[in-house]
Amino acid sequence: MRSALLLLALSALGIAQTPQPPVDALRSTFILSGNNAGQQSVWTTPDGVTHVAFEFNDRGRGPSTVTDYRLDAHKTVLSLHTTGHDYLKSSADETFSRGDSGTTTWQNRSETATRAASSQSHYLGNFAGHPGPSVPDTFYLGMFSPPEEGALLIRAALANHGSIQLLPSGEATVHRELDLNLEADGKHAHVTEYAVTGLDFAPQYLWLDDDGHLFASADFWSGLIRAGFESKLKTLTEAQQRSEVERSRLLASKLMHHSPSTLLHNVAIFDSVNATLVAAQDVLITGNRISSVKPTVASPHESNSTLVIEGNGRVLIPGLWDLHAHVGANDGLLNLAAGVTTVRDMGNDIDDLTARRKRIDAGEEIGTRIIACGLIDGPGPFQGPTKILASNEKEARDYVDQFAALGYPQMKIYSSMNPDLVPVIIDEARKHHMRVSGHIPAGMTAAQAVSDGYDEIQHANFLMLNFWPEVKNTETPARFTEVAKRGADLELTSPQVRDFIQFLKDHHTDLDVTLNVFEEMFTAENGKPSPIVAPVADRLPPTIVRNSLSVALPDASSDQRQRSLESFAKMEKLVKMMYDAGIPIESGTDALAGFSYDRELELHQQIGIPPARILADATLTAAHIMSKDADLGSITAGKLADVVLLDADPTQNISNVRQTSVVIKDGVVYYPAELDRELGIKPR
């Protein structure tokens, strides 16, 4: 229920039910993995209200909202009202108003607040920079607002000398980057790129037209661009990437510490073969390899060419592995700060990932080792986030061959794949000695996929869905919602469950369970930071924390919430039963880099896996699964120098992996405190 004050404010402003977009609305197309997936429409009605309708479809998920803005003559936001649903189909009813005195009031399903006016004042110029009337020095960042709000934020920041305080918290700073002229189908547009910092771990880039409206916002996964200019999205994305690449080069030169050799003196080594600690060791790294591991000497040899890092008995572990990533621009810093030195990318834009790997290898970008897997799906309304869509045998085999030619060691099959093509993909992958894993395609069960030849299953929800073959539409969000509804009733002692576990063990199936994803969906509470963010909420940029306040599956009733909690508990117990049976449980995230990995390991301890065993599985077992254990996974002379120095012992409590002090990847030294500072993360 909205507050009486807010309702009165909205009534006074005259905001009424929004009509449909008129023919002359300013329209933009939302593009997801190269396919048109939605749109944004902006128009102003005679009553002075600016309306923004925004929606897109992402595998059955995606928002559909209408936001009504009351703006003054210089487009300062006086009020907003958003209705519709968010990405996960939960209600997205939100209101904000600014009174004549400057007092602001807002309400959504996670927040209800009133803020007194600031004592400061600024003056708003029009978009060309001319002086204007006084305006607020704060900007309310809507929780469910459309992309167009980014343009309003940029205008407000520019009017306040380039930065502005955000409501509920935080600060945004805007820098003008470059200008471009675009031509498409006889139409011309002049656009300006702006970098906005303070909203994420790195700048967000937005393109505005000369009227101050959003023209485009893009990356290699998705983008929004003015209708009629869709063919220019790649041009803008590449121009934007040049800004990102230059920033990456500067960070790499600043944060990568090189030395001909590095000595870690007096450390307790985690022996990932035996899952034990070996005290008082000296580890010498020469170049990018471990040259020796010996008992500690009283006085280490020092020279101008050797960096000596005093361990003082602290714990040195092999670099950690995240076996379920989708690498983005900030992930290198986030992962390395968390001690993750290798990730397996489970689906990405091929060109973007290839270019990123080259920059990392060349020392021009900070990043982990990346093992790439080929994502393939079938075409349809719920197709996955990939351009690789196979509808027949020839296409399926050709795509597998293309990924093999790129050196990809694994194929990942997605949810909309035709079950008849699953054996075809596996057969072609075997010719190239590639692993095969994935979601369970709609109409199949996990057991059927393993029978066809899956080496591995992604996500624990598909393990549970195996027991409800009547749920056929698992290419839709039903693969989450049905587990939340039914999971509580799964009888773990039943013959069906026991037989399935034995079946997976007999087929040597690996499990990439990503428990952190389902903990968020099934247990998060609106208005509270998600379980991933909660342990570090006081350290993160406030907008990151705020975005985690509304991540649970759509609420229905208190009874359903209780069932969701019980369903997640059953999921945890099922995974533990599989672990106890000897089935490898991988450490993968499919979520926020670094911090979600910490949470995933904590969940493995929560279900009863011993910390030392978790650590061994997150290092040597992971390297073995990907056939990289000859070079990685243990602290052994001759292996590649990927190690992490921790301030506390993770074999006693796996949460101590959060206590990273020094991270070395490929012989290069990184200090997590420095990485965190660049990401806007406060010190521990």
Side-chain angles (χ1 to χ4, degrees), residues 386-407:
T386 178
K387 301 172 186 176
I388 309 301
L389 303 170
S391 57
N392 56 58
E393 179 174 343
K394 183 180 186 305
E395 290 176 345
R397 292 187 183 276
D398 286 349
Y399 281 133
V400 173
D401 293 346
Q402 290 176 27
F403 281 119
L406 290 170

Side-chain angles (χ1 to χ4, degrees), residues 147-218:
E148 181 67 21
E149 189 168 274
L152 297 175
L153 170 60
I154 288 173
R155 293 175 63 89
L158 292 176
N160 283 274
H161 310 292
S163 65
I164 192 163
Q165 295 296 314
L166 299 174
L167 297 174
S169 60
E171 181 180 13
T173 302
V174 172
H175 296 282
R176 185 169 182 160
E177 295 289 312
L178 61 91
D179 293 77
L180 288 178
N181 289 297
L182 302 176
E183 298 285 345
D185 298 326
K187 293 185 292 185
H188 170 79
H190 174 265
V191 296
T192 303
E193 180 192 37
Y194 292 92
V196 184
T197 59
L199 302 182
D200 204 340
F201 295 112
Q204 292 187 5
Y205 297 92
L206 301 175
W207 298 83
L208 272 58
D209 64 19
D210 289 339
D211 293 325
H213 284 293
L214 182 67
F215 186 87
S217 172

Side-chain angles (χ1 to χ4, degrees), residues 20-44:
Q20 292 296 311
V23 175
D24 60 349
L26 192 64
R27 299 177 188 272
S28 300
T29 302
F30 186 83
I31 298 174
L32 184 64
S33 296
N35 303 300
N36 291 2
Q39 64 178 356
Q40 175 183 270
S41 299
V42 182
W43 72 101
T44 301

Side-chain angles (χ1 to χ4, degrees), residues 565-676:
L565 292 170
E566 294 172 1
S567 294
F568 181 67
K570 281 288 180 74
M571 178 183 287
E572 289 185 301
K573 290 177 181 177
L574 178 62
V575 171
K576 178 54 162 53
M577 291 172 64
M578 292 177 170
Y579 167 82
D580 289 340
I583 298 171
I585 304 299
E586 300 174 358
S587 302
T589 58
D590 196 23
L592 175 64
F595 294 110
S596 63
Y597 187 82
D598 294 335
R599 186 58 191 157
E600 183 70 19
L601 298 189
E602 289 170 343
L603 287 169
H604 290 196
Q605 180 172 304
Q606 180 174 300
I607 66 176
I609 302 177
R613 189 66 257 163
I614 296 169
L615 201 57
D617 288 341
T619 54
L620 187 58
T621 300
H624 176 72
I625 286 172
M626 297 312 300
S627 301
K628 298 292 185 180
D629 48 319
D631 270 329
L632 295 164
S634 66
I635 301 174
T636 306
K639 286 195 173 186
L640 291 167
D642 286 15
V643 296
V644 181
L645 184 63
L646 302 174
D647 288 337
D649 182 1
T651 67
Q652 298 302 309
N653 184 344
I654 201 64
S655 292
N656 287 333
V657 296
R658 295 182 183 272
Q659 304 300 313
T660 53
S661 175
V662 180
V663 177
I664 300 177
K665 176 240 164 182
D666 210 32
V668 178
V669 177
Y670 301 88
Y671 297 103
E674 293 183 348
L675 302 178
D676 286 345

Side-chain angles (χ1 to χ4, degrees), residues 167-500:
L167 297 174
S169 60
E171 181 180 13
T173 302
V174 172
H175 296 282
R176 185 169 182 160
E177 295 289 312
L178 61 91
D179 293 77
L180 288 178
N181 289 297
L182 302 176
E183 298 285 345
D185 298 326
K187 293 185 292 185
H188 170 79
H190 174 265
V191 296
T192 303
E193 180 192 37
Y194 292 92
V196 184
T197 59
L199 302 182
D200 204 340
F201 295 112
Q204 292 187 5
Y205 297 92
L206 301 175
W207 298 83
L208 272 58
D209 64 19
D210 289 339
D211 293 325
H213 284 293
L214 182 67
F215 186 87
S217 172
D219 58 32
F220 278 94
W221 277 104
S222 61
L224 184 82
I225 190 166
R226 186 70 50 79
F229 287 86
E230 290 86 353
S231 63
K232 298 301 178 181
L233 183 61
K234 183 178 180 181
T235 299
L236 295 183
T237 302
E238 290 176 346
Q240 180 176 307
Q241 189 185 43
R242 287 192 287 272
S243 299
E244 295 172 348
V245 167
E246 179 58 28
R247 175 177 178 272
S248 294
R249 287 197 184 101
L250 292 174
L251 290 177
S253 64
K254 178 181 180 181
L255 302 175
M256 297 175 69
H257 301 279
H258 300 270
S259 177
S261 63
T262 301
L263 176 65
L264 293 132
H265 177 242
N266 187 22
V267 294
I269 290 176
F270 177 72
D271 175 0
S272 53
V273 176
N274 299 299
T276 58
L277 287 181
V278 182
Q281 299 291 299
D282 285 353
V283 178
L284 180 63
I285 295 169
T286 304
N288 70 337
R289 293 203 175 255
I290 299 169
S291 54
S292 68
V293 180
K294 298 177 180 179
T296 294
V297 297
S299 300
H301 174 70
E302 295 187 14
S303 71
N304 293 334
S305 61
T306 300
L307 171 67
V308 177
I309 298 174
E310 291 292 347
N312 297 316
R314 290 177 291 172
V315 177
L316 189 72
I317 66 172
L320 298 165
W321 286 58
D322 183 344
L323 285 176
H324 197 131
H326 299 280
V327 179
N330 303 320
D331 290 4
L333 276 73
L334 285 165
N335 273 319
L336 287 171
V340 176
T341 57
T342 302
V343 302
R344 183 178 62 181
D345 189 293
M346 296 304 295
N348 216 318
D349 181 273
I350 295 173
D351 295 334
D352 184 48
L353 189 63
T354 298
R356 190 179 304 282
R357 293 170 77 184
K358 288 181 179 178
R359 293 195 300 272
I360 292 171
D361 290 344
E364 297 174 352
E365 179 172 322
I366 294 173
T368 64
R369 300 180 188 277
I370 300 173
I371 298 173
C373 297
L375 176 62
I376 187 170
D377 201 9
F382 301 102
Q383 66 194 33
T386 178
K387 301 172 186 176
I388 309 301
L389 303 170
S391 57
N392 56 58
E393 179 174 343
K394 183 180 186 305
E395 290 176 345
R397 292 187 183 276
D398 286 349
Y399 281 133
V400 173
D401 293 346
Q402 290 176 27
F403 281 119
L406 290 170
Y408 284 31
Q410 183 166 334
M411 292 298 303
K412 177 186 176 185
I413 298 172
Y414 212 69
S415 300
S416 291
M417 178 56 64
N418 181 344
D420 292 340
L421 293 179
V422 170
V424 173
I425 294 169
I426 293 172
D427 176 68
E428 195 65 21
R430 293 291 182 256
K431 295 177 182 178
H432 299 287
H433 308 289
M434 300 171 76
R435 290 170 55 83
V436 179
S437 69
H439 291 200
I440 307 303
M444 296 184 75
T445 66
Q448 290 170 338
V450 172
S451 292
D452 280 348
Y454 267 40
D455 298 293
E456 174 186 341
I457 294 171
Q458 264 73 54
H459 306 303
N461 61 321
F462 288 113
L463 301 175
M464 300 186 78
L465 285 165
N466 185 75
F467 304 107
W468 308 304
E470 67 274 15
V471 181
K472 302 290 186 183
N473 58 334
T474 55
E475 79 277 33
T476 75
R479 65 178 178 267
F480 312 121
T481 57
E482 288 299 318
V483 175
K485 293 175 183 176
R486 297 166 179 251
D489 296 328
L490 182 61
E491 181 50 65
L492 297 178
T493 60
S494 67
Q496 292 88 347
V497 171
R498 292 198 303 269
D499 290 347
F500 180 55

